[in-house]
Amino acid sequence: MSSTLPLHVIQLGDEAPDFTAQTTEGEIRFHQWMGDNWCVFFSHPKDFTPVCTTELGEAARLKGEFDKRNVKIIGLSVDGLQSHQGWINDINETQNTTMNFPMIADKEGKVSQLYGMIHPKADDTFTVRSVFIIDPDKKVRLMMTYPASTGRNFAEILRVIDSLQLTTYHSVATPVNWNEGDECVILPSITDPEELKRKFPKGWKEMKPYLRMTPQPNK
Ligand code: BEZ
């Protein structure tokens, strides 16, 4: 039977909904907590589950990489604070790390609903594995959705942050399988020869008028 509840759908470019929540590092107001940073906000189906345990361990180990990129990370699971604390002990013990970012205790599912993290046809209680990458203006810049059974790839999360930050501040896009340091694509909208020379002093290769490759501008 289809639901009559209005579905809250977040789209790229929307303002990330603000909320107040209890976390393992105290109560936060989300936008205020982010400050002028970027944010990776990711959900976990449930506490004391194996895939989530490995993901949270990896995120904690990569904290230095997120810090370098001015990115704050925050997790969410639909269990309470006491449960989170017990689980964090297990994560620290088994994943050779110390949890170093907050986990939202979303027992009533308010934040999960706000962000569309519960997909009833997958599971009507637990969240899917959502990732929202939010910029310092609080705009949603990237979303990924994985099922509970597939752990996320944190190398890919760092890769897309690098692409988002590069393409936000320079007039390029990143091509297939791009990684930090690889050639970039010049935005087709840039056609003025003087602007091209100023923005791409290292030069470019033109294969088609719309397909021009240039060395990564900020390297
Ligand atoms: C996990 O995190 O391991 C998991 C959670 C829910 C379903 C399957 C796996």
Side-chain angles (χ1 to χ4, degrees):
M1 198 167 62
S2 64
S3 164
T4 50
L5 286 173
L7 189 62
H8 190 94
V9 179
I10 297 177
Q11 298 187 325
L12 297 186
D14 284 351
E15 181 171 284
D18 199 12
F19 57 83
T20 301
Q22 299 301 323
T23 82
T24 49
E25 297 185 2
E27 184 176 289
I28 63 155
R29 182 98 204 151
F30 183 52
H31 284 189
Q32 188 186 45
W33 171 84
M34 271 187 65
D36 292 332
N37 297 281
W38 291 68
C39 175
V40 171
F41 176 25
F42 60 133
S43 58
H44 298 274
K46 192 162 174 46
D47 290 6
F48 300 103
T49 48
V51 177
C52 300
T53 300
T54 62
E55 288 186 324
L56 288 165
E58 177 68 352
R61 282 191 297 273
L62 289 172
K63 175 85 167 26
E65 292 297 321
F66 289 109
D67 287 347
K68 263 200 281 189
R69 293 162 171 83
N70 297 319
V71 178
K72 284 180 128 181
I73 43 180
I74 186 162
L76 171 149
S77 160
V78 289
D79 287 300
L81 267 187
Q82 219 182 335
S83 165
H84 280 9
Q85 296 296 359
W87 188 26
I88 285 173
N89 292 340
D90 285 3
I91 294 165
N92 292 343
E93 180 191 324
T94 62
Q95 303 302 307
N96 193 27
T97 189
T98 303
M99 275 284 283
N100 44 23
F101 58 88
M103 278 285 289
I104 295 169
D106 191 35
K107 211 167 175 179
E108 284 155 24
K110 284 190 188 153
V111 180
S112 318
Q113 291 288 356
L114 192 59
Y115 275 76
M117 290 167 165
I118 296 182
H119 294 197
K121 288 177 189 156
D123 190 296
D124 57 11
T125 313
F126 305 138
T127 64
V128 291
R129 295 185 194 282
S130 300
V131 182
F132 290 88
I133 301 182
I134 301 162
D135 72 16
D137 293 332
K138 315 297 180 289
K139 295 282 184 286
V140 175
R141 298 294 301 276
L142 189 133
M143 298 182 286
M144 297 179 191
T145 309
Y146 280 55
S149 51
T150 302
R152 287 157 285 202
N153 182 330
F154 277 73
E156 171 63 2
I157 292 174
L158 288 171
R159 191 191 75 87
V160 293
I161 291 169
D162 286 340
S163 171
L164 286 170
Q165 294 187 340
L166 174 68
T167 57
T168 297
Y169 305 122
H170 298 271
S171 302
V172 290
T174 58
V176 62
N177 296 339
W178 176 87
N179 275 300
E180 181 71 9
D182 290 350
E183 283 192 318
C184 301
V185 167
I186 297 177
L187 291 184
S189 56
I190 308 209
T191 52
D192 176 54
E194 290 310 313
E195 188 181 359
L196 279 163
K197 271 190 246 160
R198 187 165 30 85
K199 289 192 165 159
F200 306 105
K202 295 175 200 159
W204 61 90
K205 284 179 295 197
E206 180 169 317
M207 282 162 274
K208 293 281 176 191
Y210 62 84
L211 180 58
R212 298 166 297 176
M213 306 301 294
T214 190
Q216 185 171 325
N218 63 346
K219 280 275 157 190

